[in-house]
Amino acid sequence: MGFFDFLFNKEQAGERKIAKLKKTATHMYVQAGERQYAIQQLRDIGSPEAVHAMLARFEENAPNTTVDAEEKEMTYMMLVEMATGGKIPIAEIVTDYLRKAEEKVNWPMRVLTDLLTLDEMTNVVEELLAGCSTDYQRNPEKKQELILRAAEFKSAELAKQIVRFLGDDNETLRFLSVDSAVAQERDAMIEEPLRARFVEEDSGRILTRLAEIFAERPEWKIPEDEREAISKALPSGFSINKDGSITGSAR
């Protein structure tokens, strides 16, 4: 056997070992101790492939919710600790994982929150939101988690991404986007898109929230040519003043 054949076979053996450990770590009906030992072994291998296998544990839910939470907490702490030595770019691997993931993103996001600066985390949330569409999605969990997280950060680009979801197909996402947009404190960027929702929105709770937000900001004026349409859309208890500001409260 030549030297390169030896290296190739060694690499294949390593891939098979990681695949086997991943299968055990994500099998919810083996003993918890077996799963935890597999996760520890993946940690010890410490390659990018092993990290991806560890992240796969977050995709599964064990029948015992207490054990499930403990194992995910353990995996999360291991990943954060692995980044401390700087030998493997955990944050880059987790970010790449999140680009492709469609759900179960909360724990990987927690890992990044511990590893990245505020500005870096803001950029990641911006990038991930930019990769999401506003079309119908059977499970919009990723978008929901990102929009909730977005409320914790502030940037012009993030505000730009959030307002896209004011028109999302999912009513809950639209509702969350309203408050996340306001949290950006970028009035010049969000006032007009929020105002437009009065005549485009069919959800009563979103219309009420929009009216409350405008009533809290008397400096936000409704243009004269929009007042009639918006007045018809306002929930009971709200009205438009002569100066164009909205007044009132939900009944």
Side-chain angles (χ1 to χ4, degrees), residues 18 21 66 83-84 100 103 106 109 114 120 123 132 205 207 212 221:
I18 290 172
L21 290 171
T66 300
T84 305
K100 301 166 186 174
E103 53 187 71
N106 181 54
M109 291 290 289
D114 277 15
E120 289 170 338
N123 291 336
C132 297
R205 68 166 180 157
L207 287 169
E212 289 172 342
K221 312 294 185 185

Side-chain angles (χ1 to χ4, degrees), residues 77-91:
M77 292 181 66
M78 284 182 181
L79 290 167
V80 173
E81 290 169 1
M82 289 170 72
T84 305
K87 294 181 180 179
I88 182 168
I90 297 293

Side-chain angles (χ1 to χ4, degrees), residues 125 129 140-152 161-162 165-166 168 172-181 184:
V125 175
L129 273 177
E141 179 186 332
K142 180 178 183 179
K143 290 192 287 186
Q144 182 168 319
E145 179 67 26
L146 289 171
I147 290 168
L148 283 168
R149 292 269 181 171
E152 304 171 14
Q161 290 302 328
I162 293 169
F165 296 93
L166 294 172
D168 194 272
T172 298
L173 287 172
R174 297 198 305 276
F175 183 84
L176 294 174
S177 297
V178 170
D179 281 323
S180 287
Q184 298 307 302

Side-chain angles (χ1 to χ4, degrees), residues 17-227:
K17 182 176 182 180
I18 290 172
K20 183 177 180 181
L21 290 171
K22 178 182 177 181
K23 184 176 181 180
T24 302
T26 56
H27 193 313
M28 295 300 101
Y29 294 96
V30 301
Q31 292 295 316
E34 291 183 56
R35 285 197 303 270
Q36 292 163 16
Y37 182 61
I39 294 167
Q40 291 168 353
Q41 286 186 297
L42 289 167
R43 183 269 318 272
D44 293 342
I45 292 171
S47 67
E49 294 76 18
V51 171
H52 274 282
M54 292 174 70
L55 288 166
R57 175 61 186 88
F58 296 134
E59 299 169 7
E60 307 296 335
N61 295 323
N64 185 317
T65 56
T66 300
V67 171
D68 186 64
E70 289 174 350
E71 287 181 10
K72 287 175 179 174
E73 181 77 21
M74 179 189 77
T75 305
Y76 147 75
M77 292 181 66
M78 284 182 181
L79 290 167
V80 173
E81 290 169 1
M82 289 170 72
T84 305
K87 294 181 180 179
I88 182 168
I90 297 293
E92 291 180 22
I93 295 170
V94 175
T95 301
D96 181 63
Y97 171 85
L98 285 168
R99 291 187 186 107
K100 301 166 186 174
E102 292 297 333
E103 53 187 71
K104 308 288 179 66
V105 300
N106 181 54
W107 282 97
M109 291 290 289
R110 284 186 60 185
V111 174
L112 286 185
T113 300
D114 277 15
L115 299 182
L116 300 181
T117 66
L118 184 62
D119 286 344
E120 289 170 338
M121 195 65 193
T122 302
N123 291 336
V124 168
V125 175
E126 289 170 4
E127 178 195 342
L128 295 176
L129 273 177
C132 297
S133 79
T134 59
D135 296 334
Y136 169 78
Q137 197 169 359
R138 185 182 61 81
N139 185 351
E141 179 186 332
K142 180 178 183 179
K143 290 192 287 186
Q144 182 168 319
E145 179 67 26
L146 289 171
I147 290 168
L148 283 168
R149 292 269 181 171
E152 304 171 14
F153 311 103
K154 296 178 177 64
S155 79
E157 182 59 31
L158 191 53
K160 178 181 174 183
Q161 290 302 328
I162 293 169
V163 296
R164 289 197 302 118
F165 296 93
L166 294 172
D168 194 272
D169 185 77
N170 184 283
E171 191 258 3
T172 298
L173 287 172
R174 297 198 305 276
F175 183 84
L176 294 174
S177 297
V178 170
D179 281 323
S180 287
V182 172
Q184 298 307 302
E185 299 179 355
R186 305 270 173 171
D187 288 11
M189 296 184 67
I190 67 171
E191 180 183 353
E192 185 175 348
L194 288 175
R195 192 174 72 237
R197 293 309 304 169
F198 279 113
V199 294
E200 297 169 357
E201 186 55 64
D202 57 9
S203 165
R205 68 166 180 157
I206 295 177
L207 287 169
T208 298
R209 184 64 188 123
L210 287 168
E212 289 172 342
I213 289 167
F214 274 75
E216 293 164 0
R217 294 163 176 77
E219 69 277 12
W220 286 12
K221 312 294 185 185
I222 307 299
E224 286 191 24
D225 61 343
E226 299 178 22
R227 291 179 192 177

